[in-house]
Amino acid sequence: LLMENWADFATLAVGTDGALTAQWFQKSGPDAHGYEGWFSRSADGGRTWRTPARLGHEFVALAPLSQGRTLAVWLESTRVRDPHAPRRPIRDNPLRPARDPNAPYAPSMKLMARLLSPAGTSLGEWTVDPDVCTCCQNTVTVLPGDRVFVAYRGHTPEEIRDNKFTTFDLATSTWSPSATLKNDGWKIPACPVNGPAADARDTSVAVAWFTAADGIARVQARTSADAGKTFASPVRIDLGRPIGRLETVMLPDHSAVILWLEMKSEANAAGLYARRLYPDGTLSAAQLLADTTQARASGFPRAALRPDGRVLVSYTRNGELNQVQVFSFDPRPLVRSLTLTSPAQRSSSLPAVLELCDAPLVASSTVSVH
């Protein structure tokens, strides 16, 4: 049984050898509450596919490497039912057992990775981080020399859920120590379902993330010119009322287009916005690309750079019948703004509106809908 939800969905990666790797999710049965990842590969442009095999658990990301190899990164539960674990009755439901709050801390989710051969067999598997946020997407992007930049939302026993990054080196099959993108100090006792988004071109990397530390929602981004070894200072991207749900696309000039959802003043209304972040930290004005809603069903936008320089975007138009919409836009008009301090940086007192788990200002010549 195929499984898709508003935040965890199938992906497709094109390898350096031209092979396709498709990844999706299935339930183990009609009454199953959980699901698991599956994948298959095609060496002939999708005409035929290998026998599907299991891959990961939740939020799988794929990074194509040389010689047909693929790095897969995903979230996997660490919860193991222990019949000897301390139990206590819940106050409002004495028949439902629960773990003793004084029991030793144990993480509930870990970040895993596996290197796949062209045949789909495992060439190695690693626990990248033993304690991560429970249902935020991770993001991967390929660097020169068969290295992969991976960003994800971390977790601590104190419920700090700041975003972290690490780099995989295929030549040595090693991972760099995980580091925090920014010590926002966001303490929240539930997952915000809002992972980071990164892209790279040559040694230039751009990564954006969402936080609501101190109760203020923000979309921030950083750039790196040396493949993630060092980063420029964080830059705030949003307009003051961001929902998050990010996407990042690196352009040939090593600037990056950041896409995100932002709330509007009308009830439940939102907009899909884009902004260009230059390597020196300056920003373009924000551009409204499409109207959408704040509902979960509006999902997460996805984007890619076309050979002609336009950015191809897909997003979910939420309504009585949800529809996936696809359009492209020219990022060249997103030039540096004369006002380098955004309205969000001048006014940042609006509280966050979070989803927890447990008329466009664009000329028709700029955006074309298909």
Side-chain angles (χ1 to χ4, degrees), residues 4 32 85 113 161 228 263:
E4 296 286 324
R161 297 175 190 256
M263 290 186 291

Side-chain angles (χ1 to χ4, degrees), residues 257-335:
V257 174
I258 312 294
L259 284 75
W260 78 98
L261 267 60
E262 181 106 9
M263 290 186 291
K264 293 185 176 182
S265 56
E266 304 92 336
N268 199 42
L272 171 58
Y273 285 84
R275 200 167 205 173
R276 193 170 177 181
L277 173 61
Y278 289 85
D280 62 0
T282 56
L283 292 168
S284 73
Q287 178 173 301
L288 176 62
L289 299 178
D291 293 317
T292 183
T293 72
Q294 302 172 26
R296 285 188 173 190
S298 60
F300 290 74
R302 285 295 173 260
L305 185 66
R306 295 197 330 191
D308 63 2
R310 296 176 71 86
V311 176
L312 183 68
V313 181
S314 67
Y315 76 104
T316 303
R317 177 176 289 177
N318 176 229
E320 292 185 9
L321 179 64
N322 293 335
Q323 295 181 328
V324 175
Q325 300 287 315
V326 179
F327 64 88
S328 68
F329 73 96
D330 186 351
R332 289 177 297 177
L334 296 174
V335 297

Side-chain angles (χ1 to χ4, degrees), residues 115-133:
L115 182 63
L116 300 172
S117 73
T121 57
S122 176
L123 298 175
E125 186 165 306
W126 302 266
T127 297
V128 181
D129 193 320
D131 190 1
V132 300
C133 197

Side-chain angles (χ1 to χ4, degrees), residues 1-72:
L1 295 176
L2 290 175
M3 194 292 304
E4 296 286 324
N5 66 33
W6 71 287
D8 202 2
F9 36 81
T11 55
L12 179 71
V14 181
T16 58
D17 59 349
L20 306 178
T21 301
Q23 174 273 321
W24 67 93
F25 299 100
Q26 293 180 194
K27 288 188 175 183
S28 56
D31 299 324
H33 295 289
Y35 59 93
E36 55 192 9
W38 287 73
F39 83 105
S40 181
R41 282 175 57 87
S42 171
D44 55 11
R47 289 186 291 274
T48 61
W49 293 84
R50 293 181 181 272
T51 302
R54 287 183 174 87
L55 177 66
H57 182 203
E58 300 176 0
F59 299 103
V60 179
L62 302 174
L65 299 173
S66 67
Q67 300 177 16
R69 294 166 291 189
T70 303
L71 183 72

Side-chain angles (χ1 to χ4, degrees), residues 139-143 149-151 165 181 196-209 220-233 235 237 246-251 253-259 275-279 281 283:
T139 181
V140 299
T141 186
V142 179
L143 302 171
F149 177 86
V150 180
F165 69 95
L181 281 168
D199 197 13
R201 179 176 288 270
D202 302 323
T203 60
S204 294
V205 179
V207 57
W209 70 94
Q220 302 173 108
R222 300 185 78 171
T223 59
S224 172
D226 55 10
K229 295 178 182 177
T230 61
F231 279 90
S233 298
V235 177
I237 304 296
L246 310 173
E247 178 65 306
T248 300
V249 177
M250 186 70 75
L251 301 181
D253 68 350
H254 295 190
S255 65
V257 174
I258 312 294
L259 284 75
R275 200 167 205 173
R276 193 170 177 181
L277 173 61
Y278 289 85
L283 292 168

